[in-house]
Amino acid sequence: MTTKELSSLYHLPFFTLLQKSRAVHEAHWPGDEIQLCTLLSIKTGGCSEDCSYCAQSARYSSGVEAERLMPKCDILERARAARDNGSTRFCMGAAWKGVRSGTKRFDEVLGIVREVADLGMEVCTTLGELGPEEAVQLKEAGVTAYNHNIDTSPEHYKTIVTSHSFQDRLDTIRNVQDAGMSLCCGGILGLGETVDDRLHMLEILSNFNPPPESVPINKLMPMPGTPLAGAAPVDTFDVARTIACARIAIPGAKIRLSAGRTELSEEAQTLCFFAGANSIFYGDKLLTAANPRAEQDLALLAKLGMRPQSPDRSRPAPAVAPERPLSPQPA
Ligand code: SAM
Ligand code: DTB
Ligand code: SF4
């Protein structure tokens, strides 16, 4: 879809837009299902890049300390716990510019991926830039989806990041898709962008071939010490309108209401689910920032009569039945 077409949708009366996005949602997805993804930062902080929203950049005094790659046994413990708590996707993030084939740290990551893949969840990684070779190796090790966001429009990207380019992001995305991994690609709202920047981002996402399998929509969590620490919060109705446009533009993608849910009331999150979001990060922590407590999320889903989505059929089923009752699990 073009930015112009998306703009006509975005500016419709709110209920008209939501009626349209809901109809698209119901034609493509069960209306009462939500994907639960667990996120783990396997390598935190100390990143060379200057993304002005990110607490993990070494260039800002955000209070996040640089850590080493987590040991494999600790990662596996967290992955098992995520599976036992009903997550069907486990996403491992690393604060790196990128990874290179043949290096010790990439070999370590491949070993971790192989063992996490054996647990039966969908395995997602987000490790920064990938060349064609690295992408193939990750796919062969068992990565099902790779997260690499374009974050905003190409025009606005230059004002947010200078240490790599929008084209660098597109090159990695091409390598991910050529290697046969699903693409998880979305962006952030609240970087000082215009509505047209958001819609241009959606136009680009909708034109990927194939379109992304999932689209994270993050609401900026202003991080102390970063250039965007004082950014104005995005209005909830703008978040919902953007999600509705994403649902219409990329009907087959899971739209993930990602960072920033701690600043959205239960009612605001419900509005976003109605508009077309059908996935969340589940668990008390994102990478460095807070997320709603798992018990709180399960209680909200129970109130709404929603249930966790089954994993991708092309992957083995998780050990925990997706129909399990929506109640907090004992620790
Ligand atoms: N280093 C890798 C990369 O840049 O792709 C992976 C990790 S990076 C933290 C993943 C994504 O998290 C970013 O592209 C951005 O969309 C999101 N993100 C990071 N910090 C955020 C913040 N403060 N608020 C909202 N989203 C954020
Ligand atoms: C995505 O789009 N959002 C997640 C995931 N992909 C890796 C990360 C959110 C990070 C929020 C800020 C933090 O925890 O530092
Ligand atoms: Fe590094 Fe990714 Fe953060 Fe940018 S968003 S500073 S690449 S961890």
Side-chain angles (χ1 to χ4, degrees), residues 53 94 96 126 149 151 169 188 218-221 223 259 287:
Y53 49 79
W96 285 324
T126 179
N149 293 339
D151 280 324
R169 301 298 282 183
I188 314 184
N218 297 279
K219 176 172 144 60
L220 177 74
M221 302 184 80
M223 296 305 201
L287 294 172

Side-chain angles (χ1 to χ4, degrees), residues 47 49 51 53-56 92-98 125-129 146-151 157 164 169 186-189 191 216 218-223 226 258-260 286-289:
C47 183
E49 302 307 283
C51 311
Y53 49 79
C54 187
Q56 301 200 74
M92 293 175 275
W96 285 324
K97 179 181 172 69
T125 52
T126 179
L127 314 168
E129 290 174 11
Y146 196 83
N147 170 238
H148 202 67
N149 293 339
I150 56 171
D151 280 324
Y157 197 78
H164 57 258
R169 301 298 282 183
I188 314 184
L189 309 182
L191 304 174
N218 297 279
K219 176 172 144 60
L220 177 74
M221 302 184 80
M223 296 305 201
T226 64
S258 301
L286 293 162
L287 294 172
T288 68

Side-chain angles (χ1 to χ4, degrees), residues 101-115:
S101 181
T103 58
K104 185 166 165 273
R105 79 177 187 200
F106 190 54
D107 286 343
E108 267 179 71
V109 169
L110 293 174
I112 291 164
V113 167
R114 283 187 202 102
E115 294 199 30

Side-chain angles (χ1 to χ4, degrees), residues 1 8 19 53 88 114 118 139 154 158 194 198 207 212 219 233 236 249 259 278 286-287 300 304 307 313:
M1 284 183 92
S8 334
Q19 270 164 346
Y53 49 79
T88 55
R114 283 187 202 102
D118 284 344
K139 159 81 182 164
K158 295 183 191 72
T194 62
R198 290 175 197 154
N207 285 332
K219 176 172 144 60
T236 299
N278 60 348
L286 293 162
L287 294 172
L300 174 59
L304 300 177
R307 59 198 170 93
R313 300 270 172 242

